[in-house]
Amino acid sequence: MSLYAHFRVFVLLAASALLASQPAWATKRVALVVGNSNYQNAPLLPNPANDATAIAATLKGAGFDLVESRQNLTSSDMRRALRDFADQARDADIAIVYYAGHGIEIDGTNYLIPTDARLERDTDIYDEAFSLDRILLAIEPAKQLRIVIVDACRNNPFADTMKRTVASRAISRGLARVEPAVSNTLIAFAAKAGLTALDGNSKNSPYATALVKYIAKPGLDVRRAFGFVRDDVLQATGNRQEPYVYGSLGGEDVALVPKAEEQVPPAVSASSEIRRDYELALQVGNKAAMDAFLAQHPDGYYANLARLQLNQIDAEDARIAATRKAQEAEQQKARLASEGAQRAEQEKAAADFKAAEDARITAERTKQAAQEQATEAERRRVASQSSTVAILSSNGPVPDSAKPNDPAPAVNSQNSEGAKVAALNTAPPQQNLAKSVQSELSRVGCFTGSIDGEWNAASRRSLGLFNRHAGTKLDVKLASLDALDAIKLKPTRVCPLICEHGYKADGDECRKITCAEGSFLNEDNECEKSHGKKPVAKRNMDERPSRADHSVRSISEPRADVPRRRQATARSSAGSGQIVCDSYLCRPVRHGCHLDYRGGGGPGGGTGNVEVCN
């Protein structure tokens, strides 16, 4: 395996390890942000509305799928907002509720107070406020992480006016400590249990200011984010306010905003690696180097080039061996002639010399043909890389960082000797490369579309057609330098010309098919001899006698009990047109005679017509 292959494997393994170490980021993040400032039965709180606006903007900027921001909610509005948000949290991975406003703790239970609450007595808390458990119930369906942030640890104005129905009922300052019953749930208080939070002297409270700074920092674990919030609030309030977080999470880091993906340097492409290996083998220039290259890369464009180089090396070795044999045969012939050897030995030596010389000439021609073929293939490869350089130059100068550290080996050609071609690390713009591949595909008859640089389905089908007819295995998904080089290697049409029905391929043109007289063009686009219909014999109705004629003939020709032959003879000899019959035969009436009816039924029944002659 080459150095480049080792490097590529190392890069892939490093990238895999990096991806495996990252947590699975949530696909859906939702948040409900509530800020209650305008209380109907308590003094105005200036900061909660501002704090809610800042938190909502931060979460929206962090790419949350849904951020529902509501302000100054009454009891009915808050109930509806919680119910709607619970529907959104059912298919979410992370659900957050942020509340800023008044809160109160009674008998160890924390409540969030809507803007229309009166709380005249302590039992009104169950009807007019919302327990923290109700908030947790709304976000419980979230799959990965649930967070409730309560910035409500302020001095409660309702505690001073609220009537206690039971003297022992405790109403303390701030909020009470709480432990979530559901795993992967955090409850963050602006101040430690039993203590109150400060609004500060700015537009936002110290707690909200710190939250905006850290809560949406990309890649920062949410527990560390709340830790940084604690540090900032302690510093801003002179250690008078300490935020606190209840609940626990697992060992993996959980960030509300995923860390920005690091730009991983692109791995060395397979085609670039193969090209470098081929150029290295070409620089060595012997059979062992080419055999080693083919053992590592047995298929593809550069494998075909390597085989052409091997053919050239083998042909050169065969030429040298044939030349040596011819020289030895010539020396043997001269030695026998100088020694005056027998005639048979000299003739045999002369024949051996002639055979060796013929083999030498054949090997010389074979070597010349192999060299020309390899040189032409290499010239096309060099021209392809030169066109790549031209494409890059037309799009601006190549930066120094993009230039190769090690130049490619020099390749000699008939048109430019000693020209050194650099193996480029950067590929040309994909559209220009695709246009070049389309142009070459069109030249070899595999592409008939518009040469526009768009590598669409038609271009992929065309490259697949080239693969099928050229026997290559090029990747059709993208236009590549390997594809461009492989197509340029074909001097003539590769894909067969496809013509419409009625036309046939003639070189690179479609010519109309003309069938000879008596033939027609069938569905297979071939001329087929026409088969005419066989004549049907018809009876001429004009020549057939009618039934009336047949009846008259039957009447006019009485039958007699004599052979038919005799009747025919008698009829043929008739002269006057009248016939007289007796008991034996019927005959024509003689010339000058006529018939006379004397009574009776005729022959066989008595006298009838008799012949009367004048």
Side-chain angles (χ1 to χ4, degrees), residues 330-383:
E330 184 179 12
Q331 292 173 2
Q332 178 69 4
K333 175 185 174 184
R335 185 181 64 82
L336 292 176
S338 63
E339 293 177 354
Q342 295 181 2
R343 182 177 179 181
E345 292 181 357
Q346 293 189 26
E347 289 179 353
K348 182 179 181 302
D352 292 342
F353 171 70
K354 183 178 184 305
E357 185 65 16
D358 292 341
R360 185 192 67 79
I361 295 174
T362 302
E364 187 74 31
R365 291 174 179 173
T366 303
K367 178 256 180 183
Q368 185 68 24
Q371 183 178 6
E372 291 177 356
Q373 190 175 12
T375 302
E376 176 63 17
E378 192 61 25
R379 185 191 66 78
R380 289 180 177 273
R381 186 184 74 85
V382 172

Side-chain angles (χ1 to χ4, degrees), residues 462-473:
S462 300
L463 187 54
L465 197 62
F466 176 85
N467 281 336
R468 185 172 63 187
H469 291 285
T472 55
K473 298 180 181 179

Side-chain angles (χ1 to χ4, degrees), residues 76-275:
S76 59
D77 293 338
M78 196 164 181
R79 185 176 295 105
R80 187 179 303 108
L82 289 174
R83 185 174 60 249
D84 294 342
F85 185 69
D87 294 336
Q88 297 292 338
R90 284 193 180 93
D91 58 346
D93 294 287
I94 295 178
I96 297 177
V97 173
Y98 172 85
Y99 173 81
H102 278 305
I104 191 173
E105 179 266 324
I106 297 180
D107 284 342
T109 302
N110 299 312
Y111 295 91
L112 308 183
I113 302 176
T115 57
D116 60 345
R118 302 177 62 87
L119 299 181
E120 295 178 352
R121 59 186 65 83
D122 53 8
T123 55
D124 292 342
I125 195 70
Y126 306 114
D127 301 324
E128 299 179 7
F130 294 88
S131 68
L132 189 57
D133 291 338
R134 176 67 183 87
I135 310 300
L136 292 172
L137 186 64
I139 64 173
E140 186 176 351
K143 302 180 185 67
Q144 182 180 347
L145 178 64
R146 293 157 287 276
I147 299 177
V148 177
I149 303 174
V150 182
D151 190 2
C153 307
R154 297 170 173 83
N155 285 324
N156 184 10
F158 297 98
D160 298 334
T161 60
M162 184 185 299
K163 297 180 181 179
R164 289 171 173 76
T165 57
V166 178
S168 60
R169 178 167 290 135
I171 303 176
S172 60
R173 298 172 63 233
L175 298 177
R177 177 186 178 91
V178 61
E179 290 296 337
V182 180
S183 61
N184 294 328
T185 302
L186 295 181
I187 300 175
F189 287 168
K192 196 173 182 179
L195 300 178
T196 59
L198 303 176
D199 276 336
N201 299 322
S202 61
K203 180 180 178 181
N204 299 109
S205 67
Y207 186 64
T209 302
L211 279 176
V212 170
K213 182 178 179 181
Y214 295 108
I215 197 67
K217 192 171 182 179
L220 181 62
D221 179 69
V222 66
R223 288 160 294 194
R224 296 193 63 194
F226 281 120
F228 291 142
V229 169
R230 169 189 174 277
D231 295 342
D232 280 13
V233 172
L234 283 173
Q235 184 178 2
T237 60
N239 295 328
R240 289 180 296 169
Q241 178 181 339
E242 181 183 4
Y244 223 82
V245 179
Y246 302 94
S248 63
L249 301 179
E252 292 186 1
D253 288 350
V254 180
L256 295 182
V257 181
K259 186 177 181 180
E261 295 183 1
E262 297 181 359
Q263 294 294 333
V264 179
V268 179
S269 65
S271 60
S272 299
E273 178 188 348
I274 296 173
R275 184 171 66 249

